Amino acid sequence: MGRLFGTDGVRGVAGRDLTAELAMDLSVAAAHVLGDAGAFSATGLKRPVAVVGRDPRASGEFLEAAVVAGLASSGVDVLRLGVLPTPAVAHLTAALGADLGVMLSASHNPAPDNGIKFIARGGYKLSDAVEDEIERRLGERWERPVGSSVGRVREAYGEADRYISHVLSALSGRLDGLNVVVDCAHGAAHMVAPEALVRAGAQVEAIGARPDGLNINSGVGSTHLDKLQQVVVSRGADLGIAYDGDADRCLAVDHTGAIIDGDQIMAILAVAMHGEGRLAKDTVVATVMSNLGFKLAMRDAGVNVVETAVGDRYVLERMKADGYNLGGEQSGHVIMLDHATTGDGLLTSLHLLSVVARTGRSLRELASVMTVMPQILINVKDVDKGKAAVPELAAAVLAAEAELGESGRVLIRPSGTEPMIRVMVEASSADQATQVAGRLADVVRTNCV
């Protein structure tokens, strides 16, 4: 059996891979690990406190019951937050002085999938070491609390307003006059996102805001932008915002329907924060997959770029370690560390809209700060990913880099979970990027078997 925890918690098909029994056992183990680490000293209460939230998936109902049962049976008091975005659960973990947070979601995955994310005291994701310890202690023998020592459970659905007030308090101005279409992916943001945008002054039309437990991410949301593009253009809206299922990220479309990705959103925010003297150390943190156009735009704007491995947790680690306050990924995970402990799609969208409102410039004009370089990604499957550094491939990469010069780049990256090597090429034209990537993929297929 491989490692249960992936890049963002434990995921699988609910009821088959992610069962009620596993959810309960994980919650018990998490309570024991964090308790042993002294994390339950924060509240000063007799018993530790956990907050539990979920997205609207049907399976979230039974998984929530299992998680709550596991925590309460371990002597943990539980606050049930109901349906809320992942960043809301992270914020409330800190704001309510809770010792542990749990979010049930599989993000942008289809409805049959689900996942469990544990959040540490203060609202931060767990480290790999803590996740490994939780796995190690699954199924261990333990002394079960009885009587007055068992945890108590109560509903705390009203705490959604505390989160909305928090993200609005981070804005420096209002959004009056902006006509916005917001796609909530039939997910966790379907109530809080339209409410927050309206309170900020925007005129809002919401789509993907009628979850039925089975339609999350189905043809809507940040992975399916077609409907948002159509509605923005047909309504003559200023722009559109799309969240994923748990709303920890967002993408946008401008008034013409053109997609504005995470790199462009980061570029807009970085330039604005830099101009206002709010960008810590004049630096933004991005991953190795960020578009070359982003890096060139930041160079021209006088902003430094620090690169990390792919994954928002690595971006966050670097930000915390070196004191940076803006970072993120091309996928739309943007971390604004002055206001949040994790990627927050609603917070990001509010700040993006705030730049539009303050400057009076369209999103299309603001996004022109960077030119998106054509990027081709080929996933070469069923190869030995351990051979990603063989001499033949290294030589082919050097030749490709010489051909591309400063107007392109090559990235060869073995998959972390599959027998696959990813070949990414950026170039000044799509044709050149496609040709170079195809040649390198052929080298991988020939020499990495």
Side-chain angles (χ1 to χ4, degrees), residues 40-337:
F40 287 155
S41 62
T43 62
L45 300 177
K46 185 176 180 181
R47 285 188 297 264
V49 176
V51 296
V52 178
R54 64 180 181 89
D55 71 23
R57 293 167 208 266
S59 61
E61 296 168 1
F62 81 77
L63 289 172
E64 178 190 49
V67 167
V68 170
L71 292 170
S73 70
S74 303
V76 179
D77 286 343
V78 181
L79 303 178
R80 296 175 62 229
L81 301 174
V83 174
L84 278 180
T86 293
V89 177
H91 171 70
L92 291 170
T93 299
L96 296 175
D99 307 289
L100 171 67
V102 186
M103 178 67 186
L104 298 163
S105 177
S107 189
H108 60 278
N109 287 20
D113 292 350
N114 216 321
I116 301 179
K117 306 178 187 181
F118 292 103
I119 301 168
R121 179 161 48 104
Y124 293 100
K125 290 184 177 182
L126 304 186
S127 67
D128 289 343
V130 173
E131 290 178 343
D132 289 341
E133 180 66 6
I134 291 172
E135 283 199 34
R136 190 185 70 79
R137 296 184 64 171
L138 276 173
E140 70 176 359
R141 295 178 64 86
W142 55 291
E143 184 176 347
R144 300 170 185 268
V146 297
S148 62
S149 295
V150 301
R152 304 300 298 271
V153 181
R154 65 182 176 89
E155 296 179 351
Y157 299 151
E159 295 298 343
D161 191 67
R162 187 191 298 261
Y163 168 67
I164 294 174
S165 296
H166 161 68
V167 293
L168 291 177
S169 71
L171 287 182
S172 58
R174 291 184 53 79
L175 307 180
D176 299 288
L178 284 183
N179 186 340
V180 181
V181 180
V182 56
D183 183 346
C184 300
H186 296 308
H190 76 279
M191 292 180 65
V192 296
E195 174 71 13
L197 291 166
V198 168
R199 285 197 205 177
Q203 181 179 338
V204 178
E205 177 175 350
I207 62 175
R210 295 184 178 179
D212 61 12
L214 301 175
N215 61 357
I216 189 170
N217 300 314
S218 180
V220 289
S222 61
T223 52
H224 303 281
L225 293 170
D226 292 0
K227 184 174 182 180
L228 178 63
Q229 292 171 297
Q230 183 269 321
V231 174
V232 166
V233 173
S234 66
R235 301 291 195 274
D238 294 313
L239 55 93
I241 299 291
Y243 306 105
D244 63 340
D246 70 335
D248 64 349
R249 62 186 173 114
C250 74
L251 296 178
V253 301
D254 67 22
H255 69 282
T256 72
I259 295 172
I260 309 299
D261 68 14
D263 284 339
Q264 293 167 290
I265 291 172
M266 280 198 298
I268 293 168
L269 295 178
V271 169
M273 292 170 66
H274 178 62
E276 296 165 1
R278 296 187 295 112
L279 185 63
K281 301 183 179 181
D282 297 319
T283 298
V284 61
V285 182
T287 76
V288 293
M289 288 298 291
S290 277
N291 193 273
L292 177 61
F294 171 76
K295 297 166 190 174
L296 295 176
M298 293 300 94
R299 181 195 65 189
D300 293 344
V303 174
N304 303 311
V305 177
V306 172
E307 287 189 348
T308 73
V310 175
D312 61 315
R313 66 162 48 190
Y314 302 113
V315 173
L316 178 59
E317 287 174 2
R318 188 62 183 270
M319 292 174 68
K320 289 170 62 180
D322 294 339
Y324 305 127
N325 63 352
L326 179 65
E329 297 186 285
Q330 192 179 73
S331 60
H333 283 108
V334 176
I335 303 170
M336 305 187 75
L337 206 52

Side-chain angles (χ1 to χ4, degrees), residues 363-376:
L363 181 59
R364 184 176 184 84
E365 184 181 358
L366 290 169
S368 68
V369 69
M370 70 168 277
T371 300
V372 179
M373 305 287 280
Q375 186 181 82
I376 300 298

